[in-house]
Amino acid sequence: MRTIPLHGRHPLHSNHKSITGLLKEYFFTPAALVFKHQTVLCIAVLAMAATCMLVPFDKTYLTYFNLRTLATLFCTLAVVSAFSHIHLFEVISKTIVLKLHTLRNATLGLVLITFFGSMLLANDMALLTFLPLGCFVLTSTNNKQAMAFVFIMQNIAANLGGMVTPFGNPQNLYLYSYFHIDTVEFVRIMLPSFLTATLLILAVCLFVKPTPLTLKDDTEYRLPKKRTAVYSVLFVCSILIVFRVIPYLWGTLAITLLLLFLDKKAIREVNYPLLATFCAFFVFSGNLARIPAVSSFFSALLPKNTLLFGILSCQFISNVPSAVLLSHFTPDYASLLPAVNIGGLGTLIASLASLITFSEYKKHNPEKGKQYFLLFTAINAGFLILLFTVQSLVAG
């Protein structure tokens, strides 16, 4: 009997791929890719799902979400994207290169503008504003290899720069209001950690080599005056939403409609996975606070060393949820306040601002997430240990 040759093989008859291999290719590879590129989001969703099994769905879930924070993130991400389309960051980065001349000076400039910017804009807003600037400075001078270090230092600067003002970090604003802390007393409590953080940041940045900076693309960009003015107004509106000057619902609607008219691409380019990550963490921390065993644990543990256990809490549930949760178990705001600020250092989820930085870095360096994570952890651990030591000595 003559065998009829097969001109086209069915995939299951392939000599090169087993059925198991095909299943992995068609079903598991997409999931693996999602986890690879959105690792933090996947972890946040899994953590959220775990707590949802312990806390039944009810109306309280709706109170978990800080809609003002989500609205501000969305608006700022969209406006910053619109700014990038008119080449604003190229113009500013060129000025920085021409004025500061070296990689060390540029690093100091980027980190310090983020540091002081966080005092006025809050840490999230400072990062959303100045990380793209850092990216343009480094890529336009062929120094992309320094992006991980510069981003990490900008992240630390944003978390620590805002600690000295009541509105510099979200957890500060909450505790300042919850405990009715006097403004002068607030500054007095946070000043030792703030001064120490300032010196540490300056010292670490000085280790950067003073490599001369040269622009690889000397293109002259002219900013369109009308769009620049409109986008600047929209950015100010985003800030005013934070300070409750503009209602977040109407502000977000107005900014979205204007950008849909002026630059639809800016709306499409918003980092929606980052917004989803924030939502997942809101549910996770909200559920955690409602689990009786967790509440009992903190009630017994926190009075023993509020500073230490406050910092440890931030490493697992982030600093803002920790501030909200722990404030119900201790009157010692003089220890809790520095704890939830210093505690923003450490793990990637210790501060939600760190998720913004990691997400921005992965966007430009999708294959280097692991290297970033290791460097981030090492530098943050060093800062965390030193600041905890100083604060313990001050308190003791």
Side-chain angles (χ1 to χ4, degrees), residues 4-65:
I4 299 175
L6 293 174
H7 296 287
R9 292 179 178 175
H10 188 279
L12 294 180
H13 296 156
S14 171
N15 292 329
H16 303 289
K17 293 180 181 179
S18 65
I19 293 178
T20 304
L22 285 164
L23 287 173
K24 287 182 179 180
E25 178 180 344
Y26 289 113
F27 294 101
F28 296 108
T29 301
L33 286 174
V34 170
F35 189 84
K36 180 179 180 181
H37 294 292
Q38 298 295 340
T39 308
V40 177
L41 172 58
C42 291
I43 292 173
V45 170
L46 290 172
M48 177 190 71
T51 60
C52 286
M53 290 188 289
L54 299 173
V55 179
F57 287 100
D58 55 23
K59 292 181 180 179
T60 308
Y61 270 72
L62 298 177
T63 66
Y64 294 161
F65 301 96

Side-chain angles (χ1 to χ4, degrees), residues 106-242:
T107 300
L108 278 166
L110 290 165
V111 171
L112 289 178
I113 196 174
T114 308
F115 184 72
F116 291 109
S118 66
M119 296 180 194
L120 302 174
L121 304 177
N123 54 356
D124 295 346
M125 293 285 287
L127 287 171
L128 290 169
T129 304
F130 299 119
L131 285 176
L133 180 59
C135 176
F136 274 107
V137 169
L138 297 173
T139 53
S140 64
T141 59
N142 280 326
N143 282 290
K144 196 174 179 180
Q145 79 286 349
M147 190 178 293
F149 175 78
V150 173
F151 270 31
I152 290 167
M153 291 308 300
Q154 283 186 278
N155 186 85
I156 290 173
N159 279 327
L160 298 180
M163 72 162 69
V164 78
T165 60
F167 49 82
N169 290 324
Q171 67 272 18
N172 287 1
L173 196 58
Y174 169 78
L175 293 175
Y176 178 76
S177 174
Y178 183 83
F179 288 109
H180 305 288
I181 306 172
D182 178 73
T183 304
V184 174
E185 185 183 10
F186 183 101
V187 175
R188 180 187 62 78
I189 292 169
M190 296 309 304
L191 197 58
S193 292
F194 174 77
L195 293 176
T196 304
T198 305
L199 293 174
L200 285 174
I201 288 170
L202 289 172
V204 172
C205 287
L206 289 176
F207 280 96
V208 177
K209 292 181 179 179
T211 308
L213 297 180
T214 305
L215 288 167
K216 67 179 181 181
D217 180 10
D218 203 17
T219 305
E220 289 286 344
Y221 291 104
R222 292 184 178 274
L223 295 175
K225 293 182 180 179
K226 289 184 179 180
R227 283 182 181 254
T228 304
V230 172
Y231 294 163
S232 298
V233 170
L234 295 183
F235 182 73
V236 171
C237 288
S238 298
I239 297 173
L240 293 178
I241 291 173
V242 177

